Every structure is written in structure tokens, then in C-alpha cells.
Amino acid sequence: MKNELLSVDEAADRIRSGAPVVVAGAAELMKQLPQGNWIGGTTAYFVTENGGAVVDDKLFCTTFENAVGATVRMVSADTLGQISDGYRENGFTVVLIPAFSKTHTEFAMTGADNVSVFDQPLVGWITGVHLDELGSKTPQIVDGSTGTAAEDGAVLLHVEMPAGSGIDVDIVNIFDQGDELTFKFDENGFAAKSVNVNGETVNLADYLIENEIDTRLPLVANYAGSMINVSIQNVDAEAKEVQFYAPVVAGMEYKLAAPQADYAAAFASSVGDSGMGQYSCNCILNYLYGELEGKKTGKFTGPVTFGEIAYILLNQTLVKLDLKAA
Amino acid sequence: MPVIPRAKIKTLLSSNSDLSKASLATRIMLTRMRLEVSNSPICIDQKVSELESVLNSKPQIAEDLASI
């Protein structure tokens, strides 16, 4: 697999080579690409070889040159349960979904209800825009097989690898569960008013404000050894409600993440020298809170995104896909 | 494909054991099922049957859990 920041002409050459490609960048640039075996999603932010950067004149392309086949598909919010229908033999799937869309919400709430999504690696990300353009531009996805851009739905690239290839998906989360406080919610959702904290039901917004909790720290759940974050989007003191970037899950035990003294260093330490030649995406919140612009954080390069997908929607996490030859 | 005894499946679903050596897919899927059992303990037998069925169709997850 090749990860490259390319001009439109160079990206077009990669697509014309016939290998499946995942493209990230500005909608205006992706419109200029030829039809082919590719999918695209909008973002303005990237982790490049030189560190975090805003790039608007190039496209980040991941080319799976060893693939033996690929299929591009679109599904809607109502047909997300059909994601695995397109899984190919010895394969994996990359999924892109526009932020703030109905499909974004639906995937977060029910995307993994159909256990067939776990049949093979499913990675991807939530597409975004430059933060200065929130409200004036809408995140998009592109079905490269037809050149069609969309502001809702999920575009899928089902990739088939040679038999015996190693395909591994995992996450890098610099956060661990912090203090002893345990947060439990009664309902699934992107917003919550009440929460049970160590056995006492309280208003979450009041609790966060009164205890001066740093809301840049996510709530962290332990999924049998994997730390899965839910990031806090907004604390509405007036409405007494807290909004999240991914849904909290009813009954799950969350703990506030332990603080990081040096965010960028924590990332660099977590990833070490790994990352070269792997597909990855990293969260916009890591980019912002870690002030990653211009800072190197290991060898992972890729889009910076409004949510990461490794079977389920993730926050403040780096998702990585590693392929090994048969 | 390894066959995992029903008793072991029941233990896996009703415990909080760490599965750090398992794949991410296994950890996420099993955690979701554990949560369903925790939220509604009466459904444990139904979830055991559901996980048995999952393991029959997902060799990677069956191998992960068999080695635990």
C-alpha cells in the first residue's frame, strides 16, 4: 500500500493504474479526478510526513496496489445493515460517511448491530470540512466509480487481497481510564442529561461544570482491553445537557480519561516507529487539542477526520490498517 | 474451526475478562454482547446461543476465543 500526498494529475494517474484508491481532500480537487476504482471523502486536515498540516492543493491518496479486485458501493442510512453484503474474499472494507448526516448518526447508533460487519476488517472515517467553513460547506463523500458526490450515505470500497494476505485493523488511543469515578448512562445517545456517577444520579452538565472537569478529556470505556472513547462536544449549562461526538452506550461503564501532560509526545510514544506503509486516520480533536499542526507524531500519515471507524464510530483515536503480503 | 464449549461461552459472556490478545473485532463484538447480558441477565442463554452461532460463521473470532 502506498500513502502519498499528490497533485490532481498524479492522483488521476494512480486511479488510471486500476488499483483501488482511497482519496482524501477538497471536493473541488476530487471533482477533477477520472472515474475509477476509488472512493473519496472531504477533509482539510492531514498528518503528513512533515507533521500535521492544512492542505488544500493536494489530495491524500492510499493506493492498494497489491489488491486483486475491488468494488465501490454506496449505501444509505436505511441500508447500513447491508455493508457486509459487499465483503470480498480475503478482503477488507473502507467506509466513508459525511459528518452531521443522517447516515453518520445511524451508523453510530446501529452500524454494528448486524454482527456480519465483524466478518472482516472494516475501517474508515467521518468526512469533514475546514473548521472555518463549518456552516458554509458540507462534508462530502465521492463514489469514484461514477464521480458522484453526496452529502449523506456511506461510500464503501470493498477490497480483495491475495489469499493468505495478513489484514490487521487496530487502534491507537493515547488515553487510558483515569480516576475511580464511574459514569453510567440509562440510554444510548449523542446527548445526555442525567448520568449515574459512582451510584448517584446527577445532571451531567452540572457535574462537569461544578467539578471543573476538563472536557477535552474523553469518557473512556474498556472494551475487553481496548480503550474506546466518547468525546464531549458541548456542555449546555442552560439546557442542562451534554452533547457527544459519538453516542454513549446505556449500561457501559465509562471513566474520565487520565490527563496527558504532552499530547503530541504521548502520540509519538504510543506509535513509536510503526506506521510506515499502513493506512490510518486520526481525529480532528487530537489535532486540535494536541496542537499537532507542524508536529510529527510517528510515521503514520493520513487524513485528520471528524470521527474514525473501526467497526464502530470512535473518537480521539487513530485507526490503522496493516496489510502483509501472503 | 475450534469448538468452544457452551459453558466457556457462558463464562466469557458473563465475565469482564480482558481479551487483549484477541483481535479488535472480537473485543468490540464480545463487549457489546456482554453489555446486553449485563443489562438483562435473564437473556444469558439466548446470548450464548447467539454467540455460538456467530462463532460457527466467524473462524477468526472462534480462534481468538478458543485460545483464551
Side-chain angles (χ1 to χ4, degrees):
Chain A
M1 147 184 15
K2 271 188 197 161
N3 290 305
E4 304 166 293
L5 203 52
L6 301 174
S7 68
V8 169
D9 286 346
E10 290 167 331
D13 284 345
R14 295 291 180 280
I15 290 165
R16 288 194 193 98
S17 77
V21 184
V22 178
V23 182
E28 296 75 19
L29 300 184
M30 283 191 281
K31 271 183 198 166
Q32 301 172 46
L33 295 174
Q35 292 178 19
N37 242 353
W38 66 276
I39 62 170
T42 53
T43 183
Y45 304 91
F46 301 87
V47 174
T48 72
E49 290 173 356
N50 300 317
V54 173
V55 179
D56 60 7
D57 61 346
K58 288 190 172 180
L59 294 164
F60 192 94
C61 298
T62 302
T63 308
F64 301 104
E65 72 266 70
N66 293 327
V68 295
T71 313
V72 175
R73 284 172 72 217
M74 288 276 278
V75 293
S76 70
D78 298 330
T79 56
L80 279 171
Q82 298 170 14
I83 284 177
S84 59
D85 290 359
Y87 282 4
R88 296 182 60 135
E89 198 77 14
N90 307 309
F92 63 90
T93 292
V94 181
V95 55
L96 307 179
I97 299 172
F100 320 124
S101 64
K102 181 183 172 192
T103 308
H104 181 187
T105 305
E106 195 62 27
F107 181 84
M109 299 294 284
T110 67
D113 283 358
N114 182 348
V115 292
S116 63
V117 298
F118 297 101
D119 285 354
Q120 60 178 229
L122 175 70
V123 298
W125 45 280
I126 305 298
T127 70
V129 294
H130 195 289
L131 294 173
D132 292 344
E133 295 177 327
L134 280 173
S136 62
K137 279 191 175 177
T138 306
Q140 292 184 10
I141 53 174
V142 182
D143 173 346
S145 68
T146 61
T148 308
E151 295 176 356
D152 198 3
V155 67
L156 306 161
L157 182 69
H158 301 294
V159 180
E160 182 174 337
M161 299 299 291
S165 300
I167 306 170
D168 184 51
V169 55
D170 211 341
I171 60 175
V172 176
N173 183 359
I174 62 168
F175 294 104
D176 207 341
Q177 293 186 314
D179 63 29
E180 293 307 306
L181 289 177
T182 298
F183 297 75
K184 280 178 90 168
F185 298 87
D186 288 335
E187 292 177 14
N188 298 343
F190 274 93
K193 289 190 172 176
S194 69
V195 64
N196 187 294
V197 183
N198 280 11
E200 184 187 354
T201 300
V202 298
N203 178 269
L204 180 59
D206 288 345
Y207 188 88
L208 294 175
I209 292 166
E210 285 163 12
N211 291 282
E212 298 180 338
I213 287 173
D214 181 355
T215 55
R216 293 174 304 174
L217 298 173
L219 295 170
V220 184
N222 184 342
Y223 278 57
S226 288
M227 296 300 143
I228 303 291
N229 301 334
V230 171
S231 301
I232 297 169
Q233 182 177 23
N234 182 47
V235 180
D236 188 334
E238 204 166 304
K240 291 186 178 292
E241 184 175 89
V242 176
Q243 285 96 35
F244 308 102
Y245 284 107
V248 291
V249 178
M252 184 70 75
E253 289 191 356
Y254 294 92
K255 290 180 183 289
L256 203 62
Q260 292 291 346
D262 185 336
Y263 216 106
F267 242 109
S269 161
S270 294
V271 299
D273 284 336
S274 65
M276 188 72 83
Q278 296 188 32
Y279 182 65
S280 72
C281 56
N282 199 350
C283 182
I284 185 75
L285 298 179
N286 284 336
Y287 186 93
L288 294 174
Y289 298 159
E291 299 175 341
L292 298 186
E293 189 159 329
K295 290 182 189 166
K296 287 188 180 181
T297 52
K299 292 181 177 168
F300 285 101
T301 58
V304 174
T305 64
F306 280 35
E308 302 71 58
I309 294 169
Y311 306 103
I312 59 174
L313 179 64
L314 305 169
N315 291 159
Q316 277 175 273
T317 300
L318 181 146
V319 168
K320 57 180 184 172
L321 174 74
D322 193 16
L323 304 178
K324 295 270 192 311
Chain B
M1 191 186 309
V3 175
I4 303 176
R6 196 172 165 87
K8 182 174 179 179
I9 292 177
K10 195 167 188 173
T11 303
L12 282 166
L13 280 171
S14 49
S15 79
N16 285 317
S17 58
D18 193 310
L19 305 176
S20 292
K21 289 182 180 169
S23 68
L24 183 65
T26 302
R27 284 175 267 163
I28 293 174
M29 197 203 64
L30 192 68
T31 299
R32 289 167 61 90
M33 296 181 90
R34 281 174 168 179
L35 188 60
E36 290 176 64
V37 171
S38 168
N39 287 344
S40 178
I42 200 166
C43 74
I44 180 73
D45 288 330
Q46 179 197 331
K47 287 293 153 192
V48 169
S49 298
E50 202 175 308
L51 184 51
E52 271 184 323
S53 166
V54 166
L55 297 179
N56 285 332
S57 63
K58 295 174 177 51
Q60 176 62 52
I61 291 177
E63 283 167 21
D64 273 352
L65 296 183
S67 65
I68 291 165

